[in-house]
Amino acid sequence: MKDFILEVCADSVESVLAGERGGATRIELCGNLVIGGTTPSPKLFEEIRKHSQIRMHALIRPRFGDFCYTAYEYLVMKEEVRMFRELGAEGVVIGILNPEGTLDMKAMSGLMEEAEGMSVTLHRAFDMSTDPYETMEQAISLGMDTILTSGQKNACTKGIPLLKCLVEKSGGRICIQAGGGVNADAIRRVYPDSGVTAYHMSGKEALDSAMRYRKKEVNMGLPSLSEYTIYRTGEENIRQARKALEEM
């Protein structure tokens, strides 16, 4: 395959650089990937730009959880889109739903205005929407460039039928990007049956903390997560995914 996108979602300088060395074509820059990703710090963006000029799309997500936001959260999101545009990010990754599970067109239009001149991806709020085909058409009408989706399943390998239909029905009007459980093996399964040429992955590996002193009886975050496990992108995982794409 000659024309493909391999996007790495990353929440640290180390992960961005590992992704770039492994052959990523762009980065979705996030914070807190362990809880699904939130808006990254502008200082993180600036530090990365000291070391890399890889294309970066900033995730705009004010908190963990659903995609139905309060008026205050929405104002923050608009400011963050504007901020990353001014910082020089090439794109933003956004999504807002109504309580009924439909795309909030009024709110999305406001974000699109702030993102003028940037590439815009509808993130996996798409996978939580009621009607994927209607949502796709709405995204197209807004002028969005990409839909990130697992095919409305937990893993893209389970969502192949919908991914295939989305590629066919989109007719090239918007890029359908597969996410959710993407690695080299998943790409080899998804591409032949769906035609998807854009992929999104973290390629994460669990690393042991550098801390030698550990107070095990105190937990500083979610009880299910250890403070002494650090998740970062594995360069070789990205390299193998790129190899799979190049061999298609």
Side-chain angles (χ1 to χ4, degrees), residues 100-136:
E100 297 77 23
T102 56
L103 200 63
D104 186 334
M105 292 295 284
K106 182 178 180 180
M108 291 292 291
S109 295
L111 295 186
M112 291 298 293
E113 289 176 7
E114 297 294 345
E116 183 179 1
M118 305 175 84
S119 177
V120 183
T121 296
L122 173 59
H123 58 45
R124 291 187 62 199
F126 177 88
D127 287 327
M128 305 302 286
S129 67
T130 54
D131 185 333
Y133 303 114
E134 178 185 24
T135 304
M136 180 181 72

Side-chain angles (χ1 to χ4, degrees), residues 6-177:
L6 180 58
E7 179 179 79
V8 170
C9 51
D11 61 2
S12 67
V13 179
E14 292 87 351
S15 287
V16 170
L17 298 180
E20 184 175 28
R21 291 193 301 268
T25 59
R26 75 179 182 219
I27 300 295
E28 182 193 285
L29 188 63
C30 313
N32 304 303
L33 267 177
V34 72
I35 55 170
T38 56
T39 305
S41 158
K43 291 302 178 183
L44 174 61
F45 179 91
E46 291 175 344
E47 184 61 29
I48 291 166
R49 274 291 174 250
K50 296 176 184 178
H51 309 282
S52 172
Q53 292 302 310
I54 192 169
R55 184 179 181 89
M56 281 197 287
H57 292 186
L59 175 65
I60 307 299
R61 188 185 181 204
R63 57 163 170 79
F64 166 79
D66 63 35
F67 303 106
C68 183
Y69 297 110
T70 68
Y72 297 118
E73 289 171 329
Y74 178 62
L75 289 174
V76 170
M77 294 171 77
K78 288 185 72 174
E79 291 292 334
E80 287 174 332
V81 171
R82 185 182 307 128
M83 174 185 69
F84 278 106
R85 186 188 71 209
E86 293 171 353
L87 284 171
E90 287 82 3
V92 287
V93 183
I94 59 176
I96 302 177
L97 298 179
N98 291 309
E100 297 77 23
T102 56
L103 200 63
D104 186 334
M105 292 295 284
K106 182 178 180 180
M108 291 292 291
S109 295
L111 295 186
M112 291 298 293
E113 289 176 7
E114 297 294 345
E116 183 179 1
M118 305 175 84
S119 177
V120 183
T121 296
L122 173 59
H123 58 45
R124 291 187 62 199
F126 177 88
D127 287 327
M128 305 302 286
S129 67
T130 54
D131 185 333
Y133 303 114
E134 178 185 24
T135 304
M136 180 181 72
E137 292 300 332
Q138 289 175 321
I140 292 169
S141 73
L142 286 167
M144 303 187 83
D145 301 278
T146 301
I147 292 173
L148 172 61
T149 174
S150 61
Q152 297 202 332
K153 301 293 184 181
N154 280 333
C156 62
T157 51
K158 302 292 185 182
I160 290 173
L162 178 56
L163 290 171
K164 181 176 186 293
C165 288
L166 291 170
V167 169
E168 293 172 350
K169 290 182 180 295
S170 68
R173 294 174 294 157
I174 196 166
C175 174
I176 304 301
Q177 182 178 38

Side-chain angles (χ1 to χ4, degrees), residues 207-227:
L207 306 176
D208 193 39
S209 166
M211 287 293 297
R212 290 188 294 274
Y213 174 73
R214 303 186 180 191
K215 191 174 288 293
K216 295 182 179 180
E217 63 269 27
V218 179
N219 190 289
M220 300 300 292
L222 295 173
S224 60
L225 299 175
S226 169
E227 280 80 34

